[in-house]
Amino acid sequence: GRNMMLCVNTTTRREFLAGTASPLLAAGDTRPNIVFILSDDHHYQCVGAAGNPNIRTPNLDRLASRGVFFTNGQISTPQCCPSRGILLSGLETYQSGLISNGQTSFRPGHPPTVPEKLRASGYDTLLIGKWHIRNQPRECGFSRAPLWLRGGSSRYQDPQLAHGLDSKPEQTPGHITDLFTDAAVDVVRNAKQPFFLWLAYNAPHTPWYAAPRYRELYEGRSPETLAPPAHPKSAKPFDWVTYYSVISHLDEGIGRVIGEIDARRLWDNTYVFFLGDNGFMCGTKDWNGKVVPWEESIRVPYLAAGGKVRRGVRSGAAVTSIDLPATWLDLAGVTASYKLAGRSIAPVLKAGRRDPEAGFSVWADGRPEALAVGTAVEPYRLVRTGTHKLIVWESGRQALYDLRQDPGENRDLSAERASAETLSRLRGLLAARMKETDDPAAGWLVRRS
């Protein structure tokens, strides 16, 4: 029975689940469906709902109006592969071993992922889209994978995609955003309930290709007039036309998926989450990527809607991506078999209660091979509240920013006497987090350069 499955050791459970031809669906199971939509390299202001009048994302804007839009949404580790590892496991990278794009496997004997727990409890668990983890979807608890991308990036037109859990990638005609959308619409149309759908688009990750009808929305305007309102004038030039075009195409796809949920009258029993897997610097501070601890890298579009989520709410709560796995288990009524590093935000979504005070982000791999560009980023830990951010690096140096007065993070306040109380409070929050998660970097707080 179900209890027996949850008590067997990890290897046996995985072998059992891998050998199960279909999910263990109980008749009359009325638990909610969960749809998780992930975008890729998504600047936090590149959604209309985030206050950017220059980008067209009508479907995401409508989704935000039907739910809770988190204006301070934060990613736990701002890089593609470790971000996904956190969302699968509910653990920080240093807890799971999957620390960067240069170390893409969970540690051997790693505890069951959240999709694996959901599947064992009776959910149909489905993967569509980008994967980018060495552990295969089957061993991470997915019962089906109709269409997926094994690696980290892909051309957009006629991509190499796998059709099924065990299939080899093959060239698939069409645009990758449309292909993932079509597969997701088909899943929603035919899914057995309850289901958990992990839908990971690769847009707007490079190499970009935007169909002409989306480019027409933005062509003819200068980059300066297209940039998000918070984008600094000092940033390197950036191709906003193509970036926005790819996001508008993504938005259309998400609208089709939500439309199918509505058409099947599943909205009231389906929770929809949308998240960027990491931010994107877009030329700010001379950086055209992510990983670094600055706002454009660690902040992301982050929203939830459907089910019993409050409607039309803009929340400044300090929610982080690592909170989502705990939330999914909470909504499904499933108990984790190990201590998760995130907090369920279900009370925030349903009743506006228990807003987290602070969010934390981590970079744990200081090797050059952790980044495709071949340069190293010094490991760091950071704590972010609605007003301030403290960054502590491996060397012991630190920086404190007032995000309201200095959103561009140009003035370090850590040595200023007037900020001593704030600095002490944030260091205390970070120390407590490090202790709670057995962070091997706890000693950094006593180092001072």
Side-chain angles (χ1 to χ4, degrees):
R2 183 183 301 171
N3 292 333
M4 181 191 75
M5 275 181 53
L6 294 177
C7 293
V8 293
N9 68 47
T10 303
T11 307
T12 307
R13 180 195 299 107
R14 286 199 174 132
E15 287 170 354
F16 179 85
L17 289 175
T20 308
S22 61
L24 306 176
L25 292 165
D29 191 335
T30 59
R31 289 180 298 164
N33 308 306
I34 299 167
V35 175
F36 173 50
I37 305 173
L38 194 62
S39 62
D40 197 328
D41 287 3
H42 201 151
H43 186 290
Y44 75 97
Q45 273 208 318
C46 288
V47 175
N52 184 348
N54 302 319
I55 192 165
R56 304 224 185 144
T57 55
N59 295 293
L60 281 168
D61 299 347
R62 181 164 180 258
L63 194 58
S65 74
R66 297 173 79 183
V68 177
F69 184 85
F70 290 105
T71 57
N72 277 312
Q74 179 176 330
I75 213 76
S76 297
T77 289
Q79 196 185 39
C80 296
C81 182
S83 182
R84 285 160 170 74
I86 288 164
L87 289 159
L88 286 166
S89 68
L91 296 175
E92 296 283 13
T93 58
Y94 50 80
Q95 295 176 301
S96 74
L98 202 164
I99 60 172
S100 73
N101 284 2
Q103 188 167 316
T104 64
S105 297
F106 291 119
R107 281 194 193 101
H110 183 269
T113 64
V114 167
E116 192 174 336
K117 290 290 294 183
L118 290 171
R119 182 178 181 190
S121 83
Y123 270 75
D124 191 5
T125 51
L126 300 117
L127 166 71
I128 292 170
K130 171 174 163 175
W131 184 239
H132 199 193
I133 290 175
R134 184 166 293 175
N135 305 79
Q136 292 301 294
R138 184 185 287 284
E139 65 178 300
C140 290
F142 286 97
S143 51
R144 292 191 280 149
L147 191 67
W148 58 289
L149 171 68
R150 287 180 181 267
S153 76
S154 168
R155 64 188 184 201
Y156 278 42
Q157 200 64 35
D158 302 336
Q160 295 281 331
L161 301 177
H163 300 245
L165 280 172
D166 303 310
S167 74
K168 289 189 165 53
E170 59 186 66
Q171 186 169 333
T172 306
H175 190 288
I176 196 165
T177 299
D178 297 330
L179 292 166
F180 289 157
T181 298
D182 290 344
V185 167
D186 187 61
V187 157
V188 172
R189 185 174 294 151
N190 299 298
K192 304 174 183 130
Q193 296 184 68
F195 65 87
F196 173 80
L197 170 60
W198 176 294
L199 171 56
Y201 288 98
N202 74 313
H205 195 291
T206 56
W208 301 320
Y209 168 72
R213 71 179 184 276
Y214 302 102
R215 296 190 67 88
E216 287 167 8
L217 298 171
Y218 305 106
E219 280 179 327
R221 295 178 59 186
S222 68
E224 295 77 22
T225 61
L226 279 175
H231 194 67
K233 300 284 187 284
S234 60
K236 286 164 104 173
F238 187 72
D239 183 3
W240 294 110
V241 169
T242 307
Y243 190 67
Y244 280 11
S245 302
V246 169
I247 292 171
S248 288
H249 192 169
L250 165 73
D251 179 80
E252 182 189 76
I254 291 168
R256 287 176 51 210
V257 176
I258 301 304
E260 190 62 33
I261 292 170
D262 285 333
R264 282 205 63 203
R265 298 184 178 173
L266 297 176
W267 182 259
D268 291 339
N269 197 39
T270 300
Y271 287 92
V272 179
F273 296 86
F274 176 78
L275 182 77
D277 75 333
N278 46 250
F280 206 64
M281 293 294 288
C282 301
T284 303
K285 296 186 186 293
D286 291 330
W287 192 258
N288 226 358
K290 52 268 187 178
V291 179
V292 289
W294 313 118
E295 290 287 270
E296 293 87 349
S297 171
I298 67 154
R299 287 180 69 185
V300 288
Y302 192 135
L303 65 91
K308 294 182 171 61
V309 175
R310 296 175 294 153
R311 293 178 67 102
V313 173
R314 294 177 69 82
S315 169
V319 295
T320 314
S321 59
I322 205 166
D323 298 329
L324 289 179
T327 306
W328 300 333
L329 291 179
D330 189 2
L331 293 172
V334 176
T335 303
S337 54
Y338 54 95
K339 187 177 181 345
L340 299 179
R343 311 147 288 195
S344 171
I345 59 170
V348 182
L349 298 174
K350 294 177 180 179
R353 289 186 290 107
R354 301 219 304 264
D355 280 11
E357 177 190 12
F360 304 89
S361 294
V362 166
W363 177 245
D365 194 344
R367 303 173 304 149
E369 56 265 40
L371 280 78
V373 290
T375 57
V377 168
E378 183 182 355
Y380 60 80
R381 304 292 186 266
L382 72 83
V383 54
R384 188 181 179 284
T385 67
T387 61
H388 289 81
K389 179 199 284 183
L390 171 67
I391 310 164
V392 176
W393 284 271
E394 186 175 30
S395 60
R397 67 190 174 101
Q398 62 182 6
L400 175 69
Y401 298 100
D402 183 330
L403 299 173
R404 291 172 304 179
Q405 303 298 321
D406 177 26
E409 300 170 283
N410 297 310
R411 182 182 172 192
D412 174 14
L413 304 176
S414 62
E416 297 191 9
R417 184 173 295 174
S419 300
E421 189 178 326
T422 300
L423 178 67
S424 176
R425 186 171 69 86
L426 265 60
R427 282 178 66 92
L429 288 169
L430 195 54
R433 175 66 174 178
M434 288 173 152
K435 183 178 180 182
E436 178 193 1
T437 58
D438 296 321
D439 190 342
W444 298 0
L445 284 173
V446 297
R447 286 183 207 160
R448 299 301 299 273
S449 58

